[in-house]
Amino acid sequence: MKIDRLTVVNIDRLYKNNTKNNIEEKEISKKGDRIEISEDAKKIRSISEDNNQYMNKDIEAIKKAINDGTYKVDTKELAKSMKDFMKGTDI
């Protein structure tokens, strides 16, 4: 294989271009990504967190009642819910 001056110049040019592209890519990656959350999304998140707090209180009250043996189940409502579920009318 014969390497002449033109080949060396082309190799040098390719190396410099590749190095330049790598430097540009690194500079772009230093800027990083940015995420913005809309005000509506922030409100929804706040409402969701409030609901979770209330649900957690209800769950804790039910757990306590079960552990104390004071939790009562409305058997008629339970039977109705089971019947509706079996029919596929209420999921």
Side-chain angles (χ1 to χ4, degrees):
M1 179 172 150
K2 182 179 174 189
I3 299 176
D4 58 10
R5 175 141 172 79
L6 188 57
T7 304
V8 172
V9 170
N10 284 337
I11 291 172
D12 187 50
R13 185 179 309 133
L14 287 172
Y15 175 78
K16 286 180 182 176
N17 284 341
N18 192 24
T19 304
K20 181 181 175 185
N21 289 340
N22 285 340
I23 290 171
E24 288 174 0
E25 287 175 12
K26 287 179 183 177
E27 288 176 5
I28 290 171
S29 67
K30 285 182 184 178
K31 293 179 184 178
D33 293 334
R34 198 174 108 201
I35 297 174
E36 291 184 30
I37 300 174
S38 70
E39 290 301 317
D40 290 337
K42 290 177 185 177
K43 288 178 187 176
I44 291 170
R45 180 177 179 194
S46 175
I47 291 169
S48 175
E49 288 173 352
D50 291 344
N51 286 342
N52 285 342
Q53 289 176 353
Y54 290 117
M55 273 185 25
N56 287 339
K57 288 179 184 177
D58 291 342
I59 291 169
E60 290 302 318
I62 292 170
K63 283 181 180 180
K64 185 178 182 318
I66 291 171
N67 288 335
D68 294 345
T70 58
Y71 183 73
K72 300 294 181 206
V73 176
D74 182 354
T75 54
K76 288 183 181 182
E77 186 65 32
L78 176 63
K80 181 184 179 309
S81 295
M82 290 174 68
K83 182 183 81 170
D84 291 344
F85 180 79
M86 296 284 229
K87 284 183 176 179
T89 58
D90 189 17
I91 297 176

